Structure formats: C-alpha cells, structure tokens
Amino acid sequence: MNKSESIVEISKALAKFQGEVKQPLKDADNPYFKSKYVPLENVVESISSIAPNHGLSFVQWALNDENGRVGVATMLMHESGEFIEFDPVFINAEKQTPQGAGSLITYLKRYSLSAVFGITSDQDDDANESSGNNQNDQNNNKNLSEAQVKRLFAIGKSVQVTAADIKKVIMNDYNKTDVALLTKKEYDEVCNRLESKKES
C-alpha cells in the first residue's frame, strides 16, 4: 500500500463519510444460490452522493500480474492532496475472453471499492461468526486443500453450475477472491447449497 506522507485529512474525511453514508440495498439477485448483493453501480452511487462533500474521490484501474491474473487497484484521494493507494486484488479469469475479463474486473471493482469505503455489498455472515461461538473453529479457518476445491467444482458441475459461476458466488457472498480462501465452515455451506439443488 502506498500513501502520502500525511493522511490526517483524508482520515478525518473518511470518518465523516462513514458516519453519513447509507448502506445501499442488496437488490441484485444471484440466480445460483438465491442470494442478493449490491451491484457496482449502486456502490458507486452510494459513495458519490456523499464523498465529494468531504473532498473525497477515487480512481480504479485494471492490471495484470506476472501470472496473467486480472486485477484491480484502487486509489482514495482527498482535496488536500493526500492519498492512499491500496494493493491490487488479483484473481484468475475463468474465461480467457474480453467478456470474461470485463466481468471479472467489474466484480473486483465492487469488491475493492466496498472494502475501501466500508460498504456492505454482500449478504451478512452467520451471526455465530461474531457472537463468540467460534472458539473451536480455529481449524476451520485454514485454506482449503486442492482436493476440497476440486470436490466443490465437481458438485457444481453435477448441478450445471460452472466453476466461473461458483467463483462469482464466492466473491459476492463471502468477499473471497479465491475458492481456496474459504473457511471450512463457508466451504461446507457452499457444498450444501449446491447439493440442495439436486433435490429441487
């Protein structure tokens, strides 16, 4: 992360912004898991309606890393000249086409922008995650094994849900840029949701 020598003014402005911003409605449907999320245009609208009042603006740009992954970088700026440039978020594009890359860039923009401005653009996690009921869950927070990832995609394939669709769901519902970053609990939940489609 790069930033200006001082971030005093930008920090004050961001605090004021977060005190005034109204969380946008989750009105976009995820057709695969029957969940909702906030589309990029609603995130931008929510930010743009208040941020300029506090001298805040942002810019985002797409890029690739040395492994060919698609990424998006975000810079938060203040009228004082202060800035914070956040590290880019990268993920592999499932479809190596302009449309596939464009779709992924849109998701990464929404993910990054929501994180920078404190917008809750995805469905809330299970209340147990924040209630202290996960003291024995430490082992569940490890990254998934390759075998678990393959099993997840195999379950999806069996119910006509592609790997690309699963990755989009994981980005939307869990704010994870990679399937392997799911916790064991989240992994079990996604598997169960996919398997339940067999019965419907």
Side-chain angles (χ1 to χ4, degrees), residues 87-105:
D87 293 335
V89 179
F90 291 102
I91 190 172
N92 288 315
E94 182 68 23
K95 298 180 180 179
Q96 301 299 321
T97 63
Q99 292 82 3
S103 177
L104 181 56
I105 288 169

Side-chain angles (χ1 to χ4, degrees), residues 22-152:
K22 293 183 178 180
Q23 298 295 335
L25 294 175
K26 300 175 179 67
D27 57 3
D29 290 310
N30 183 317
Y32 298 99
F33 288 144
K34 299 179 181 180
S35 59
K36 289 183 176 290
Y37 65 95
V38 182
L40 176 61
E41 57 266 28
N42 289 20
V43 172
V44 172
E45 181 181 7
S46 180
I47 293 170
S48 299
S49 64
I50 297 177
N53 299 336
H54 301 293
L56 292 170
S57 61
F58 68 89
V59 62
Q60 293 183 292
W61 62 95
L63 66 166
N64 294 96
D65 66 4
E66 63 276 6
N67 297 317
R69 295 183 301 172
V70 176
V72 166
T74 302
M75 179 182 289
L76 177 64
M77 300 172 290
H78 187 255
E79 61 185 8
S80 65
E82 295 179 354
F83 69 90
I84 302 175
E85 180 182 342
F86 296 88
D87 293 335
V89 179
F90 291 102
I91 190 172
N92 288 315
E94 182 68 23
K95 298 180 180 179
Q96 301 299 321
T97 63
Q99 292 82 3
S103 177
L104 181 56
I105 288 169
T106 298
Y107 279 99
L108 291 176
K109 282 184 174 181
R110 182 179 67 84
Y111 171 82
S112 301
L113 207 54
S114 298
V116 169
F117 281 93
I119 303 295
T120 55
S121 61
D122 302 286
Q123 281 199 318
D124 293 336
D125 292 332
D126 190 322
N128 286 332
E129 289 295 322
S130 58
S131 65
N133 292 335
N134 58 353
Q135 292 180 354
N136 297 322
D137 258 3
Q138 293 182 359
N139 291 332
N140 291 346
N141 294 328
K142 295 180 180 179
N143 289 345
L144 302 180
S145 67
E146 184 177 349
Q148 288 173 311
V149 173
K150 287 182 178 179
R151 175 177 178 265
L152 180 58

